[in-house]
Amino acid sequence: MTEIEQTGSGSSVVREGHGGDLAVAVARAHGVSAMFTLSGAHVFPLYDAAVGGAERPSLPPLRLVDVRHEQTAVFAAEAVGKLTRTPGLAVVTAGPGVTNAVSAVTQAHQAGSPLVLLGGRAPTQRWGAGSLQELDHPPLLAPVTKLAATVPKVDEIAPAVDQAFRLAGTRHRGPVFLDVPMDQLYSRTSASVPDVGETDLGEPDVEAVGEIATLLASAQRPLLVLGSDVYLDRADCAARTLVEELELPVVANGMGRGIFPSGHPQLVSRARSTAVGRCDLAIVVGTPLDFRLAYGSFGGRDGAPSAKVVHIVDAPDQLARHVPLAAAAAGPLRVTLATLATAWEQVLRRPGWTAWAAELRASDQAARARDLALLAADSDPIHPARIYGELRRLLAEDAVVIGDGGDFVSFAGKYVEPARPGCWLDPGPFGCLGAGLGAAIAARVSRPSSQVVLLLGDGAAGMSLLDVDTLVRHRLPVVMVVGNNSCWGLEKHPMRMLYGYDVATDLAPATRYDEVVRALGGAGETVTRPDGIGPALRRAFDSEVPYLLNVLTDPEIPYPRATFGV
């Protein structure tokens, strides 16, 4: 392959090469350092461009991570988008390569994760003749992407890929899909590759922020709820400043977790029910008013009136339409929260929330004290909470913890409090199982010096565990913990509640998922006693290989949830 020539100056350079060279050059310009894929001939030029970078001193290397299922590649790229707050890149072949990616793309759409997916496409010259894996992909992806389109000519690849990365990383973030006909991707041309500069933050809605400050001035029991977009929009520092200046009680969900570490005086996560049920003003920032937040219903508990609700989001199309709002603001969250802090300084009457904050803090501390018994439970079979009691002692401050499952991961969300922002990944509002291995791959690639812990329900493990092969081949050590209760717990117990019996919820008892990992080249063990969990975790962290703990837990213990998401 001829080395790409570089000429020109200023805001772009001109490169010559095949379509893959041009696409990868643009991806590099946007900061991409890894391509996640499953091999397919339709997209060979993209691989050629990625590995050829090492032979061209002028181009940075692009890590090529090939997986065992396309969904894993896209889940990995989606997780890179979350962890780095810049678009991740996945490449899949035509036809089933694209259709296998749809669930992961939809998770990115629901979570607002910046992602670019490039797909192969049957050649234009054979279109309609029934060539291998011929399918018109964009109509399938259009409902769950910011843009889904075909790039018809090789000389349009560079500007189209540049637009895809810019669009994916622009509020409200999300996935973009492009496919390129095989004959065009293999063709050669010259094209300008733009220089990527800083993105303008944008302006806040000052009038709306002023209304929110006024509402705060009349509140007696305010509550601030922080969601994933606070982190993704790089507003975590602004959120901390606002909370500490105003002394607002805070709860968080998604990647909003970790903005305030466990023990912070304003964080009242374990008093969430009281805070949500008794507040008179809820300010929800960077997350939808969905089932996780009672669809925007706050207050009304213990005779309290319904609360006023304020929604602050990063883009107008994210504002809740299904619930009355007392005020709302749409715009860059970092600037909006900083403006709210400034507006508060102009408020003449500043109520004190000392008693309210103290009540929530006391409730939070009481709940944490009650947790201790379960976190140290010595029961046989093992209570799932005991796993987290042992794990919490071993987690480093920068550990990345990933949840992939139902009840088992719900226990993790209750008991594992990340110490830093950007260190917690879960299925999010889409609730898609099978994302965990991809996220673990991404975390190890993006955070090579951090602990990476993947928490799997045994149901979720069955959807992606073969991609341990990817961890082994690419030398990516990850500690995996399977909460093995031999059933689909999130379905088993509700079905019993509704019908008095359950069907289609049982899995094979005590399956040796650790032996699956060993067969793939990793290591692991099964744990059957509570006192074996801690030593096994220490062996896993010390191993420096993909290591799975298969912990047999009590199938009769459901997670005590307040909602089933419907």
Side-chain angles (χ1 to χ4, degrees), residues 48-244:
D48 180 59
V51 301
E55 301 171 3
R56 301 172 185 147
S58 59
L59 295 176
L62 194 66
R63 186 169 187 171
L64 190 63
V65 182
D66 59 310
V67 302
R68 297 298 301 270
H69 194 297
E70 284 91 357
Q71 70 171 14
T72 300
V74 186
F75 279 131
E78 191 247 356
V80 164
K82 289 174 174 174
L83 292 165
T84 68
R85 301 186 279 201
T86 57
L89 172 64
V91 171
V92 297
T93 196
V98 174
T99 57
N100 282 345
V102 172
S103 288
V105 171
T106 306
Q107 174 163 295
H109 172 69
Q110 296 276 46
S113 307
L115 165 71
V116 172
L117 174 62
L118 301 181
R121 186 178 175 93
T124 302
Q125 62 186 6
R126 290 287 189 188
W127 191 258
S131 59
L132 177 67
Q133 297 175 339
E134 179 180 307
L135 181 67
D136 189 18
H137 311 117
L140 298 177
L141 277 297
V144 292
T145 56
K146 298 183 74 174
L147 173 69
T150 296
V151 185
K153 299 291 184 182
V154 64
D155 56 6
E156 297 178 27
I157 290 175
V161 174
D162 178 55
Q163 180 196 19
F165 276 95
R166 293 180 189 274
L167 187 58
T170 301
R171 305 175 195 93
H172 179 66
R173 295 162 186 82
V176 174
F177 170 76
L178 298 176
D179 65 5
V180 184
M182 189 176 183
D183 50 343
Q184 298 302 311
L185 194 62
Y186 278 79
S187 297
R188 301 185 73 87
T189 191
S190 297
S192 294
V193 176
D195 181 32
V196 180
E198 291 291 323
T199 303
D200 182 19
L201 273 182
E203 297 296 326
D205 187 336
V206 176
E207 183 177 347
V209 171
E211 292 177 8
I212 296 168
T214 300
L215 286 168
L216 263 172
S218 61
Q220 300 299 314
R221 298 183 303 280
L223 174 66
L224 185 67
V225 181
L226 301 178
S228 293
D229 290 336
V230 177
Y231 171 76
L232 292 172
D233 212 25
R234 302 178 188 272
D236 35 306
C237 290
R240 285 195 296 270
T241 299
L242 176 70
V243 165
E244 288 167 358

Side-chain angles (χ1 to χ4, degrees), residues 85 224-252 255-261 264 266-267 283-286 312 332-341 421:
R85 301 186 279 201
L224 185 67
V225 181
L226 301 178
S228 293
D229 290 336
V230 177
Y231 171 76
L232 292 172
D233 212 25
R234 302 178 188 272
D236 35 306
C237 290
R240 285 195 296 270
T241 299
L242 176 70
V243 165
E244 288 167 358
E245 288 184 2
L246 276 63
E247 298 183 343
L248 285 168
V250 176
V251 298
M255 296 194 78
R257 303 180 72 223
I259 293 176
F260 293 91
H264 192 285
Q266 304 310 124
L267 182 68
I283 301 176
V284 180
V285 187
I312 300 177
L333 297 181
R334 190 192 328 176
V335 179
T336 299
L337 295 180
T339 303
L340 180 56

